[in-house]
Amino acid sequence: MRKKSILVNITININKLLGRLKEMKVLVTGANGYLGQGIVKSILDLGNDVVAADFKVENIDSRANRVECDLFDIQNPYLYFGQPDVLLHLAWRDGFVHYSSAHIDDLPKHYNFINKIVESGCKHIAIMGSMHEIGFFEGSVNEKTPCHPTTPYGIGKNALRDLAEMVCKKNNIVFQWLRGYYIVGNSKYGSSIFSKITAAVQEGKSEFPFTLGQNQYDFIDYDEFCNQVAATVSQNNVQGIINICSGHPEKLADRVERFIKENNYNIKLQYGAFPDRPYDSKAIWGDSIKIDKIMKTEKEY
């Protein structure tokens, strides 16, 4: 009986492993952007196929099937992109310009695109969200935390989450909302404070205007962010709102000073040059229970 039990367990584990390693076709929109480039690479590294779509595709990993297009002009995106198993929707204009009218103007286009690809056959929808959906809040954010966004960016993302969840529930398919937090990376092409500091250093500047930096946020390194997203969309056991995060808060000033030291930058912060934004929370971070479960399973494979 013991030998039989061991054989059964081995068979179950092999089947789980084979299921996890089954090659998936993931359609990534907005793939040429700052986040898209790293996420595409991470998904490919897990052994999946990637169809990478954007207006321009020159910075996307060459292993992907790169498609230059306007998403919103495609009548049947599911067939057009070769019947993907998963849609990872990263496309979004003016993500760091929180009061841009594009967040509201483009909302119907995003909804229509997602609705079309679901109705034509895609069974797994994952969309990049933002902690700015939450609005002013202090403490740990989980999937039940109420959202009261205060900017067009947060309002637009929050509305798309509700619409996409409705569409997925109606069609009984997988829905994942990837709520992103503060990404740390040294590419000058991003729009975060870390990218701006990198750009300033490359321009030869010795000082960088800064706030007092006392607010506490959830910071996650760029590579880890991309790996978490890739692992999340490569499975469907964990669904719903999933925080892509570190799970703990850190003062902005401390993380920026550490970033400068890590990269050996010769630049100093001008504390107090800018006021804190009135809509920024004093301390906010993501509950990491879901993403920890996903990453633990990923490591076991």
Side-chain angles (χ1 to χ4, degrees), residues 2-269:
R2 180 173 174 78
K3 287 183 178 179
K4 184 177 179 180
S5 177
I6 292 172
L7 286 172
V8 169
N9 288 333
I10 290 173
T11 302
I12 290 172
N13 289 332
I14 289 173
N15 287 336
K16 283 176 65 179
L17 184 60
L18 289 173
R20 172 61 184 83
L21 294 179
K22 179 179 180 293
E23 188 176 89
M24 302 169 66
K25 180 184 286 187
V26 183
L27 167 61
V28 181
T29 66
N32 200 54
Y34 173 61
L35 295 181
Q37 293 172 40
I39 290 171
V40 165
K41 180 182 182 301
S42 291
I43 295 173
L44 288 164
D45 288 346
L46 290 180
N48 297 309
D49 283 341
V50 172
V51 180
D54 212 325
F55 290 111
K56 300 292 183 182
V57 297
E58 67 271 12
N59 297 317
I60 300 172
D61 194 306
S62 61
R63 292 176 293 168
N65 176 13
R66 297 178 288 187
V67 181
E68 196 169 291
C69 65
D70 183 341
L71 295 173
F72 303 140
D73 286 341
I74 298 169
Q75 292 304 311
N76 190 326
Y78 183 62
L79 291 179
Y80 184 88
F81 292 112
Q83 299 180 319
D85 299 301
V86 183
L87 163 65
L88 173 56
H89 191 58
L90 304 178
W92 196 271
R93 279 200 299 158
D94 295 348
F96 287 89
V97 187
H98 294 165
Y99 284 91
S100 169
S101 61
H103 305 308
I104 306 304
D105 294 341
D106 290 349
L107 181 58
K109 299 176 184 178
H110 289 286
Y111 166 70
N112 288 332
F113 172 75
I114 291 164
N115 194 47
K116 282 191 291 187
I117 200 166
V118 168
E119 289 188 342
S120 57
C122 191
K123 302 297 184 184
H124 182 160
I125 304 299
I127 305 171
M128 182 58 65
S130 168
M131 50 77 58
H132 289 285
E133 305 151 35
I134 299 297
F136 193 89
F137 180 84
E138 295 186 0
S140 178
V141 174
N142 61 35
E143 59 189 321
K144 295 182 179 179
T145 301
C147 294
H148 301 289
T150 57
T151 66
Y153 176 57
I155 291 167
K157 283 287 187 180
N158 193 50
L160 183 62
R161 189 191 75 249
D162 285 340
L163 290 166
E165 185 174 20
M166 175 197 70
V167 169
C168 291
K169 282 184 177 179
K170 178 182 174 183
N171 290 273
N172 194 29
I173 66 171
V174 176
F175 170 72
Q176 294 172 329
W177 185 263
L178 315 181
R179 182 170 282 157
Y181 287 75
Y182 291 88
I183 303 165
V184 181
N186 60 4
S187 168
K188 67 177 182 180
Y189 298 108
S191 298
S192 69
I193 186 170
F194 304 102
S195 293
K196 290 176 180 177
I197 289 172
T198 297
V201 169
Q202 292 182 6
E203 292 168 7
K205 296 180 180 178
S206 59
E207 294 185 318
F208 187 86
F210 192 52
T211 66
L212 292 176
Q214 295 304 295
N215 290 9
Q216 299 180 56
Y217 302 119
D218 189 317
F219 296 102
I220 178 170
D221 289 343
Y222 179 85
D223 288 343
E224 177 61 16
F225 184 93
C226 294
N227 290 339
Q228 287 189 10
V229 171
T232 298
V233 302
S234 296
Q235 59 82 52
N236 59 19
N237 289 324
V238 182
Q239 302 182 23
I241 299 172
I242 301 163
N243 289 323
I244 307 300
C245 66
S246 70
H248 60 84
E250 184 176 3
K251 282 185 180 180
L252 176 61
D254 292 345
R255 186 63 188 95
V256 172
E257 291 283 11
R258 186 153 56 89
F259 173 78
I260 291 172
K261 185 176 181 180
E262 288 168 347
N263 289 278
N264 296 313
Y265 289 161
N266 185 22
I267 194 168
K268 292 185 178 181
L269 300 176

